Amino acid sequence: MFGAGGGTSSYREIETAELIVLWGSNARETHPIFFHHVLKGVRNGARLIVIDPRRTSSARWADLWLGLEVGSDIALANGIAHEIIHAGLAREDFVRRATAGFDDYRRCVEAYPAERAEQLTGIPAGVIREVALAYARATRAQICWTLGITEHHNAVDNVLALINLALLTGHVGREGSGLNPLRGQNNVQGGGDMGAIPNRLPGFQDVEDVELRAPFEAAWDCVIPPRRGLHLSQMFDAMERGELTSLYVVGENPAESEADQHRALRLLGGLQHLVVQDIFLTRTCQLADVVLPATASWCEGEGTVTNSERRVQRVRKAVEPPPGARDDLEIVAQLAGRLGRPWGYGSAEKVWAELRGLSPMHRGMTYPRLEALDGIQWPCPSEDHPGTPTLHTRLWAEPRGGPPAPFSVVEHEPPVDELTPDFPIRLTTGRRLDSFNTGVQSSRYASPLRRGESIDLHPEDATQLGVVEGERVRVVSRRGALDAPVRLDPGLRPGLAFMTLHFPDEVPTNVLTIDAYDPKSGTAEFKATAIRVEPLAEPATT
Amino acid sequence: MDVKLSGATASDVERAAVATVLGPEPPQAGRVVRAGRAQREQRHLLLPALHALQDSVGWVSRGAVDHLAERLGVAPAEIYGVASFYHLLATEPQPALAVHVCDDVACRAAGAGALLGQLGEAVQRSACLGLCDRGSAALVRRSGPPGERIDVAVAPVTALQVAGFLGGEAPPELAAADIPPPQAGKPGLRLLRRAAGEVITTVDDYEAAGGLAALRRALEQGPDWVLAEVKAAALVGRGGAAFPTARKWEAVLRAPSRPHYAVCNADESETGTFKDRVLLERDAFAVLESLAIAGFATGSEHGFLYVRDEYPLARARLQAAIEALRQAGWLGAAVGGPGFAFDVELRRGAGAYICGEETALFNSIEGRRGEPRNKPPFPVESGLFGQPTAVNNVETLVAVLEALRVGGSASTKLFCVSGAVVRPGVYEVELGTTLQALIELAGGLQPGRRLQAVLLGGAAGSLVGPSRLDLELSFEAARAAGLSLGSGAVVVLDESLDLSEVVLRIARFFREESCGQCVPCRVGTVRQEEALRRLFSGRPLGSREDELVRLSDVAEVMRDASICGLGQTAAIAVQSALRGLS
Amino acid sequence: MSAELALSIDGRDIRVAPGTTLREACQLVGTEIPTLCFNPNFTAANACRLCVVELEGARTLVPACSRAVESGMRIQTASDRVRHSRRLVLELLGSSVDLSLAPDLGELLREYGGRPERFSEAGSATVEQPVKVDNELYVRDYSRCVLCYRCVQACGVEAQNTFAIWVSGRGFEARISTEYDAPLPDSACVYCGNCIEVCPTGALMFKSEFDLRAAGTWDEGRQSTTTTICSYCGVGCSLDLVVQDNQIVRVNSPEGNDITLGNLCIKGRFGHQFVSEPKRRERSS
């Protein structure tokens, strides 16, 4: 946000907050150890507000749970902003000194009085006002979110809507207040930081900026394409158009993890050349022309990852990989050699040293320092810099450091997959505590919590459909259908269903989901599918 | 907590029972749920809710625990941990009717042994029920719908009567066994002034008997006046610890953290002790008036009166008195006029001696296991709900009223005389009266009996022999003699009793009443009882001296290293007897 | 910051900051106080009473783990009275609990000259009971339980806040238990393993360790520990992987870590099994 993609606070700051808002996050199950810090905050007296269509195990801890309509987050955020402004609680000094674009923003949210927000979100206007006042009045407030915000066709707008709230109230850039996206995987943050996204070079530097590109070109002795590349969803579109014919997949299982799985399989199967590098023979590997067996980098190799509080952390080799499996770094280096760029195979530390030379925000992080400090939070520009627990304190500096933080005008847009009489139920997806994504790693241990995939329904919906817990039903979306057993969850509400992606071999949930995606982030709208549920068995006639 | 319910569901009766405590069930979750802190703040209603279940269905079922877990946001495992701590809550199905017969030292000294022999396994044996002045005692309980419930203490009770109860005969009315203390009609009574007379049931009658004058005066004069008067009376706590009351109250009054609480410890469970019961049953208004004064003098708005569950008559009269005082404006938002808000909540214990320990009592009110807390911090700083708290014994509170009424020093004290005397009962005597004189006041030993020993101060006290009848009953003299007046229990044991049985009963008492939290007491009380059994049965492990060393080692670690007074005193009576025996 | 407090420990004068506990103060003068229930991440439970020291003027001994220093305290850490209480605590535990997997306590018993067997004969009460093996991840052997409360704290308010276990019953019959002693899979347990991590006596054990021990192949001499980062969500928990014969046999949470505070979740604790999945080996060779 405002030029750096990372959470602004440290986990420990959550413990001192007065108000914690978990928005589109079931951290109790998806980020359990982060939630420990939330709980410490709660024990220290923080008020916890959880905003999630489902009453999750996180929501059970909340002083206030708001079960908003799926995909109505912007309406809620704008409604909250409207109430803050009208209550005279906007942090005007901060808005003036540290932000830009407030007038346009104010005009935008003027159209979201609480009563309209109620219509769009389902949350009573009075409660929206209450949240607005609580957030604006708290001395230290945190907003933390996860995929409930970002797995939407307007993911970036969703995030911007939350950032707007923090700018409006000054809840950013100060210790204890902040905006924190909780990353879904152990190196999502690091991947982006290292330039494994289409528009950035390592150190989150804009690939389209000639001045930022120059040092890399010098160091690497090559010309870097001056335009951003394609993100995952765009790649699939390019495959569809026949423009992308060869694909190299490293440690990802798109054959099962992509939305609209039928389409994903068709497109992957239609490639001229598919190379997959993974630790298991995944479904995607099965479609590949070449499979490169890799090591489990977190325990069979050396390197770093970066977590959701921007902390670069060392991973270390604890076990020998199976024979034939090779370190990702070695594979990439050898591949480069065969392609005519003989980099040689250096150590992880050597690669890191090169990164430090090119990425100012990592410059001060030597391996010995990472070791000694148990990881360092970026930015860390020099070897005498302790790292940065709280980001964007520059906004409060006198005079302000750097450019102002911009408000963004964002409007409510309902999910793409519309509810109609044919598809009357909103299916949303997520994770369970003991499992992870498509189960490549997590399906291989004996979890007593695991109960397999199911379609979770509110008991009233089940009654209306005449189905009972455990009964298999057919779930149909506009893109596909599958069979799954029913599980009853009173934490849902009538008209809202839930599934995970954890057991694609049993239940390929992604045949249902829609590949409508956010044009900026490329994330598909996993959180909002329109479905219907059909009983399979004929009703008993005795 | 994470929620994983067993699938067992609460019956409609169980849900209704819980609703009597927690109110009607909230509507099903809509779009907005308020829980979290608001729900956690109801936690203190856990024990009342468990009582409601016990009263209506006779046990705490798994479905009921899950239901309570949902309503209170307390995990099923913790609720089970709480329920299984208290002896009068069952976590397995029980017959609706239960008869608890006292088999403790005082009743045995009064001849309950024969009764127990006749009844065998049909009844539940109980530690002291606090009816020691009437000989054999029983607590009769039946769960069921409100109209069918029974909760009566009966004493004296015969085997025939108990058999009748078990066969479906209705026990006598709650108040049937209510008798005035033996000193009734004697002039000069102070602490027993009203308790020795007709039981007062209305605020008007209470005022006519001089009641509420102290509270009125306190409200006029202010908290500092109260503190000064209590200080002038040199009043020390009558629960056993003899801590200066004024110092305690002043510390709470001046504590910066808010709110403050005033708590009356009416969990009188010490073996052979029943003075508080007599005050609670027969002078309930005075206890409440004094608690209000304590609240006033400590800056508290909320009072709790925690009464042991074995005192159903006291509970009933206290609840009636609370309601009458509220009606009359002497409890509530404006006590005796605007300016002082104070209300009292009556809380039931659930069968745990340890809850008479003040910090265990706090935990119990908070809906937790009655495990004592480590001190410091002391209650005046961090007590109930972690707030500054003045906790006082019943007799202490009544003594405060006397101090405010007449001034001067608090020179009398109540003693509970039971066992082989002619007129067992509560006696008020001047501090410094000898043990001999007190026993004589109770009519001396029954004809034909000879004194063997006196259990002074209850199970936590000492066994003293006939040679010490000249002991002056004052805090100072007792301390000088290496003894303690403790709760004021004086159980007179005659020569017909096997003293080793008495000692074993005391050892068993501590084994059964140890909360189990700290190692010295949890294991020490067990090893103490085991060693005594071996010793008394003539089959010592190693030599007799080995056993005595073992016992003294255990006594020492319990005294030195236990968390609370229970463990610290669990070997005193045993050791005093062994010294006599050895 | 208020002024430092002066006290004397075994005759040595020292000044400490307010809020320092006696245990910490003793550490400052180089005196280690033995503890059992104490865990640095938790509020002191005060249950075991192994850490008692003598405070001049106090009626009883005081627990060093939790008692805060007050000005002018005079402390004896090794007086006869202190040593007696510690010895008795150890003997009482040793006579009622299986301490064979608690080498630290065995060491202390020797140091204090304890002879637990002097309290034991055929009929003496112990906490012996059958081992509970009711799931694939945890084994609970409460014959080894000293009731230190650490697991209850870890499962409860001090860390995990799941409250799957609590102390039930009372006195010597008090036990760590789920509701109605239900099997763990029927409880709220989320298998974070944080209770096992803090268990000092082997009463709680990972099934993997239990099985290796049962097979006689658990060998700490052949084990190495490597700290790395969990491969699952983006929180970035440090893991101590204990490896024996190139197999991860146990996962610990490193002490003093600001992210985990000594805790992990089920995935971090147990989700590593894919690494040694035989399929990886077959296919790639």
Side-chain angles (χ1 to χ4, degrees):
Chain A
M1 49 206 75
F2 351 124
T8 69
S9 309
S10 301
Y11 302 153
R12 296 222 73 156
E13 286 178 54
I14 308 294
E15 299 172 15
T16 64
E18 211 171 88
L19 176 69
I20 303 166
V21 182
L22 278 188
W23 199 320
S25 163
N26 182 16
R28 180 57 158 170
E29 296 195 48
T30 61
H31 299 85
I33 297 300
F34 171 77
F35 200 74
H36 279 211
H37 296 277
V38 172
L39 288 171
K40 281 203 183 294
V42 168
R43 297 286 175 197
N44 290 339
R47 188 161 183 225
L48 176 65
I49 297 177
V50 173
I51 300 173
D52 194 311
R54 299 186 295 142
R55 189 166 181 235
T56 59
S57 47
S58 307
R60 286 186 165 267
W61 279 99
D63 297 293
L64 187 59
W65 164 70
L66 274 53
L68 82 177
E69 200 60 45
V70 174
S72 67
D73 306 87
I74 292 173
L76 182 61
N78 285 358
I80 290 171
H82 179 278
E83 296 308 314
I84 290 174
I85 292 169
H86 281 261
L89 292 173
R91 185 78 190 251
E92 281 172 19
D93 58 337
F94 181 77
V95 168
R96 247 195 325 274
R97 64 191 310 240
T99 71
F102 176 65
D103 290 338
D104 289 342
Y105 175 63
R106 183 172 51 197
R107 269 192 294 280
C108 161
V109 301
E110 204 46 43
Y112 292 85
E115 287 68 24
R116 179 170 176 239
E118 172 173 345
Q119 285 169 8
L120 296 171
T121 62
I123 304 301
V127 176
I128 295 175
R129 265 185 215 111
E130 180 186 340
V131 173
L133 299 189
Y135 183 67
R137 284 182 177 150
T139 53
R140 293 174 304 282
Q142 293 280 353
I143 299 179
C144 311
W145 68 89
T146 317
L147 302 179
I149 284 296
T150 51
E151 284 185 349
H152 284 287
H153 77 281
N154 49 353
V156 172
D157 284 357
N158 278 347
V159 173
L160 292 172
L162 304 187
I163 293 174
N164 287 338
L165 290 179
L167 294 179
L168 184 62
T169 52
H171 281 318
V172 68
R174 287 184 297 128
E175 196 182 330
S177 277
L179 288 161
N180 294 292
L182 304 172
R183 305 305 193 178
Q185 300 174 40
N186 81 336
N187 203 24
V188 166
Q189 183 69 51
D193 297 346
M194 295 304 125
I197 41 177
N199 58 339
R200 298 285 173 169
L201 288 160
F204 217 72
Q205 301 177 81
D206 189 349
V207 74
E208 294 180 350
D209 184 326
V210 63
E211 284 183 26
L212 295 177
R213 233 171 28 241
F216 288 90
E217 293 184 332
W220 293 347
D221 184 24
C222 67
V223 176
I224 296 171
R227 270 181 303 281
R228 61 183 60 197
L230 304 180
H231 57 60
L232 189 54
S233 299
Q234 288 166 333
M235 289 184 201
F236 275 84
D237 287 352
M239 288 185 231
E240 184 100 84
R241 293 193 303 270
E243 292 167 9
L244 194 159
T245 55
S246 295
L247 191 66
Y248 176 21
V249 177
V250 182
E252 178 95 23
N253 183 20
E256 291 179 324
S257 62
E258 280 304 284
D260 194 353
Q261 191 181 2
H262 287 318
R263 173 175 180 258
L265 286 170
R266 175 168 56 80
L267 294 174
L268 290 168
L271 286 167
Q272 283 176 20
H273 192 58
L274 175 62
V275 180
V276 183
Q277 180 170 323
D278 211 316
I279 58 171
F280 281 105
L281 200 66
T282 62
R283 184 81 190 274
T284 310
C285 289
Q286 289 164 14
L287 300 170
D289 298 284
V290 178
V291 175
L292 302 167
T295 58
S297 56
W298 66 284
C299 65
E300 292 174 343
E302 301 287 330
T304 64
V305 291
T306 309
N307 74 359
S308 301
E309 58 170 6
R310 298 169 281 104
R311 186 181 299 274
V312 177
Q313 305 168 290
R314 285 275 283 111
V315 296
R316 298 177 184 85
K317 181 172 178 173
V319 291
E320 288 298 328
R326 295 192 208 183
D327 193 81
D328 290 328
L329 195 54
E330 184 189 351
I331 296 173
V332 172
Q334 290 218 5
L335 202 55
R338 309 253 178 125
L339 291 169
R341 302 290 295 201
W343 298 341
Y345 173 41
S347 67
E349 186 171 359
K350 269 176 73 178
V351 175
W352 183 254
E354 178 190 302
L355 180 270
R356 285 176 46 226
L358 291 166
S359 168
M361 71 189 206
H362 293 104
R363 192 151 289 152
M365 300 183 189
T366 64
Y367 260 37
R369 288 195 78 210
L370 288 174
E371 192 85 34
L373 300 178
D374 224 349
I376 299 174
Q377 289 167 284
W378 61 248
C380 175
S382 63
E383 289 185 38
D384 55 5
H385 190 284
T388 308
T390 309
L391 206 55
H392 303 310
T393 49
R394 66 174 182 84
L395 295 175
W396 291 90
E398 196 64 63
R400 185 191 70 227
F407 278 99
S408 309
V409 170
V410 288
E411 301 285 355
H412 168 71
E413 267 181 47
V416 175
D417 210 16
E418 277 180 63
L419 296 180
T420 58
D422 276 353
F423 298 98
I425 294 178
R426 178 61 75 201
L427 171 70
T428 192
T429 61
R431 285 181 188 160
R432 294 195 203 281
L433 172 65
D434 65 340
S435 297
F436 191 72
N437 291 6
T438 59
V440 172
Q441 299 175 82
S442 63
S443 64
R444 289 170 163 85
Y445 76 101
S447 165
L449 301 174
R450 192 167 301 139
R451 289 185 288 174
E453 190 54 85
S454 57
I455 169 102
D456 295 6
L457 297 173
H458 188 270
E460 274 182 36
D461 280 346
T463 307
Q464 193 150 27
L465 290 161
V467 298
V468 297
E469 171 114 13
E471 181 176 339
R472 288 186 77 80
V473 292
R474 172 145 302 157
V475 185
V476 187
S477 82
R478 294 188 174 94
R479 288 151 300 280
L482 52 76
D483 294 351
V486 168
R487 195 196 288 187
L488 301 183
D489 180 1
L492 296 166
R493 61 182 146 73
L496 182 66
F498 176 77
M499 295 182 77
T500 78
L501 314 175
H502 297 322
F503 306 96
D505 296 342
E506 293 169 30
V507 180
T509 305
N510 272 330
V511 305
L512 302 172
T513 51
I514 186 167
D515 64 348
Y517 62 82
D518 184 280
K520 291 174 235 172
S521 71
T523 317
E525 195 155 63
F526 290 95
K527 293 299 185 195
T529 305
I531 58 162
R532 68 170 174 268
V533 176
E534 300 168 353
L536 277 179
E538 290 297 313
T541 50
T542 49
Chain B
M1 68 175 209
D2 290 316
V3 179
K4 166 88 177 258
L5 302 175
S6 66
T9 51
S11 68
D12 289 346
V13 174
E14 288 170 326
R15 299 173 86 104
V18 169
T20 60
V21 176
L22 301 183
E25 289 172 35
Q28 287 283 311
R31 294 277 192 167
V32 174
V33 172
R34 291 169 198 278
R37 184 161 297 103
Q39 195 181 32
R40 288 194 294 276
E41 280 172 1
Q42 285 205 299
R43 160 63 185 260
H44 66 102
L45 294 173
L46 178 55
L47 201 51
L50 290 171
H51 270 307
L53 288 163
Q54 179 73 35
D55 289 347
S56 66
V57 295
W59 71 300
V60 180
S61 74
R62 197 156 177 198
V65 163
D66 283 0
H67 176 64
L68 263 180
E70 285 279 5
R71 291 217 55 187
L72 285 176
V74 178
E78 194 179 347
I79 296 178
Y80 177 73
V82 172
S84 60
F85 182 86
Y86 296 97
H87 282 175
L88 290 174
L89 297 172
T91 52
E92 285 167 14
Q94 303 288 322
L97 184 81
V99 181
H100 306 261
V101 179
C102 177
D103 77 339
D104 215 327
V105 176
C107 275
R108 281 181 177 275
L115 170 78
L116 287 159
Q118 289 164 18
L119 292 170
E121 300 294 305
V123 297
Q124 304 192 29
R125 297 189 171 204
S126 170
C128 180
L129 292 170
L131 294 159
C132 327
D133 49 344
R134 328 244 181 95
S136 306
L139 182 69
V140 185
R141 288 203 154 160
R142 188 167 70 201
S143 57
E148 294 173 22
R149 269 175 222 167
I150 295 172
D151 187 5
V152 178
V154 188
V157 71
T158 64
L160 198 63
Q161 266 181 300
V162 172
F165 303 151
L166 292 169
E169 268 173 44
E173 290 294 306
L174 202 51
D178 177 27
I179 46 166
Q183 286 170 305
K186 295 264 163 57
L189 291 178
R190 298 180 61 182
L191 300 171
L192 290 179
R193 210 152 54 87
R194 283 170 301 270
E198 284 288 304
V199 174
I200 291 169
T201 58
T202 68
V203 176
D204 287 346
D205 288 351
Y206 181 57
E207 286 204 77
L212 295 172
L215 178 53
R216 278 183 213 278
R217 184 94 192 274
L219 293 174
E220 280 164 27
Q221 302 286 332
D224 287 314
W225 174 82
V226 177
L227 294 179
E229 292 294 306
V230 175
K231 194 171 181 182
L235 180 62
V236 300
R238 300 291 172 83
F243 188 84
T245 303
R247 239 165 78 197
K248 186 186 281 187
W249 287 11
E250 174 150 29
V252 177
L253 178 67
R254 315 270 182 243
S257 180
R258 297 275 155 175
H260 297 175
Y261 292 98
V263 175
C264 173
N265 182 348
D267 193 51
E268 178 177 65
S269 307
E270 186 61 61
T271 298
T273 309
F274 48 93
K275 64 186 175 67
D276 292 345
R277 176 181 56 75
V278 169
L279 294 173
L280 295 166
E281 287 176 352
R282 303 187 61 83
D283 205 3
F285 284 96
V287 176
L288 292 164
E289 179 190 356
S290 186
L291 186 55
I293 291 170
F296 181 68
T298 56
S300 309
E301 286 197 358
H302 207 93
F304 285 89
L305 199 155
Y306 185 97
V307 61
R308 77 179 296 211
D309 201 29
E310 291 84 345
Y311 285 178
L313 177 61
R315 235 169 41 231
R317 289 188 174 162
L318 283 163
Q319 193 59 55
I322 288 172
E323 274 150 30
L325 287 167
R326 278 183 193 148
Q327 286 279 319
W330 289 105
L331 285 176
V335 175
F340 175 48
F342 185 79
D343 208 344
V344 174
E345 233 175 288
L346 186 64
R347 287 300 175 90
R348 288 165 71 177
Y353 166 73
I354 187 61
C355 289
E357 198 283 339
E358 55 193 12
T359 58
L361 186 150
F362 300 150
N363 277 336
S364 189
I365 292 178
E366 291 176 22
R368 299 171 199 283
R369 293 166 56 82
E371 292 173 355
R373 305 172 185 169
N374 215 63
K375 291 187 276 194
F378 291 97
V380 293
E381 186 189 330
S382 174
L384 186 60
F385 303 113
Q387 294 301 120
T389 303
V391 54
N392 290 101
N393 168 259
V394 174
E395 183 189 340
T396 314
L397 288 176
V398 173
V400 165
L401 284 190
E402 285 308 296
L404 298 188
R405 190 176 68 90
V406 298
S409 100
S411 63
T412 62
K413 158 127 193 64
L414 301 183
F415 289 91
C416 319
V417 186
S418 64
V421 293
V422 173
R423 284 189 302 277
V426 174
Y427 289 89
E428 179 174 3
V429 295
E430 288 291 320
L431 284 162
T433 305
T434 64
L435 189 52
Q436 172 93 44
L438 180 64
I439 292 173
E440 277 164 15
L441 193 60
L445 264 74
Q446 292 165 13
R449 309 285 185 108
R450 282 183 46 178
L451 182 68
Q452 179 171 208
V454 171
L455 180 61
L456 178 65
S462 300
L463 281 160
V464 301
S467 63
R468 303 183 84 167
L469 285 177
D470 57 347
L471 175 73
E472 285 183 15
L473 297 173
S474 72
F475 296 106
E476 300 75 20
R479 200 174 303 128
L483 299 168
S484 163
L485 300 184
S487 61
V490 175
V491 187
V492 177
L493 309 169
D494 73 357
E495 284 203 327
S496 70
L497 285 169
D498 180 349
L499 204 56
S500 62
E501 288 291 326
V502 172
V503 172
L504 266 179
R505 181 65 188 90
I506 291 170
R508 178 156 68 86
F509 177 82
F510 283 109
R511 177 182 179 156
E512 287 171 354
E513 297 298 337
S514 167
C515 80
Q517 192 181 194
C518 70
V519 176
C521 176
R522 177 177 77 239
V523 190
T525 52
V526 170
R527 296 294 177 245
Q528 172 171 271
E529 195 206 358
E530 287 172 350
L532 288 171
R533 272 191 198 292
R534 290 191 299 257
L535 194 63
F536 294 149
S537 63
R539 291 193 303 274
L541 183 57
S543 69
R544 184 180 154 78
E545 284 62 41
D546 288 342
E547 292 289 21
L548 291 174
V549 167
R550 231 172 255 133
L551 281 162
S552 112
D553 277 352
V554 168
E556 203 175 323
V557 71
M558 287 201 291
R559 184 197 67 208
D560 277 352
S562 295
I563 293 175
C564 79
L566 186 150
Q568 289 161 14
T569 57
I572 292 179
V574 169
Q575 287 293 316
S576 68
L578 290 177
R579 274 193 304 274
L581 293 170
S582 56
Chain C
M1 196 69 198
S2 24
E4 291 199 321
L5 305 170
L7 75 159
S8 112
I9 297 171
D10 297 332
R12 294 177 58 185
D13 292 331
I14 157 175
R15 305 180 79 83
V16 299
T20 305
T21 63
L22 288 176
R23 188 191 66 85
E24 291 161 346
C26 288
Q27 253 174 350
L28 291 175
V29 297
T31 302
E32 269 315 311
I33 302 293
T35 58
L36 171 56
C37 66
F38 178 77
N39 179 301
N41 290 326
F42 300 161
T43 311
N46 268 312
C48 73
R49 317 306 279 185
L50 193 57
C51 69
V52 288
V53 295
E54 191 164 353
L55 165 63
E56 196 178 291
R59 193 168 43 85
T60 62
L61 302 177
V62 301
C65 67
S66 62
R67 183 67 183 264
V69 168
E70 295 155 33
S71 186
M73 279 180 159
R74 304 183 68 80
I75 300 296
Q76 295 290 331
T77 68
S79 65
D80 288 349
R81 213 174 146 204
V82 166
R83 289 187 62 87
H84 179 272
S85 270
R86 290 189 190 155
R87 172 166 65 88
L88 261 292
V89 164
L90 291 162
E91 287 183 330
L92 291 174
L93 284 177
S95 72
S96 54
V97 183
D98 176 356
L99 299 180
S100 59
L101 289 181
D104 294 355
L105 290 179
E107 188 55 45
L108 282 170
L109 262 170
R110 275 186 293 282
E111 185 186 330
Y112 283 85
R115 291 186 300 112
E117 63 281 2
R118 75 191 178 106
F119 287 101
S120 299
E121 58 160 2
S124 308
T126 70
V127 298
E128 192 179 347
Q129 57 182 302
V131 183
K132 292 182 196 290
V133 187
D134 54 19
N135 70 86
E136 286 300 309
L137 301 181
Y138 285 20
V139 174
R140 296 177 293 152
D141 183 356
Y142 289 124
S143 299
R144 303 181 187 280
C145 176
V146 291
L147 224 63
C148 69
Y149 285 59
R150 281 196 198 180
C151 58
V152 172
Q153 290 187 303
C155 190
V157 71
E158 299 283 346
Q160 178 59 29
N161 282 282
T162 288
F163 302 94
I165 48 171
W166 203 258
V167 184
S168 71
R170 90 177 183 214
F172 195 76
E173 311 309 319
R175 298 284 182 271
I176 307 298
S177 164
T178 58
E179 60 272 25
Y180 297 86
D181 204 19
L184 219 46
D186 292 343
S187 77
C189 177
V190 292
Y191 305 92
C192 62
N194 295 330
C195 56
I196 298 179
E197 176 105 32
V198 298
C199 178
T201 60
L204 302 177
M205 196 178 275
F206 298 112
K207 178 97 172 353
S208 53
E209 180 177 339
F210 181 83
D211 290 344
L212 288 174
R213 283 183 186 276
T217 52
W218 178 263
D219 182 356
E220 288 175 11
R222 300 213 305 274
Q223 293 171 2
S224 61
T225 299
T226 306
T227 306
T228 189
I229 303 297
C230 179
S231 67
Y232 288 97
C233 79
V235 174
C237 298
S238 292
L239 309 179
D240 275 353
L241 303 182
V242 180
V243 174
Q244 178 182 323
D245 306 333
N246 206 42
Q247 298 275 324
I248 300 169
V249 293
R250 182 179 164 128
V251 177
N252 293 328
S253 183
E255 270 177 43
N257 185 286
D258 249 12
I259 294 173
T260 62
L261 309 173
N263 303 295
L264 293 175
C265 79
I266 183 173
K267 294 189 290 292
R269 193 77 74 175
F270 300 105
H272 58 79
Q273 286 173 16
F274 70 90
V275 173
S276 48
E277 169 91 17
K279 272 191 184 162
R280 275 185 83 202
R281 204 158 287 268
E282 284 161 25
R283 228 190 5 262
S284 47
S285 50

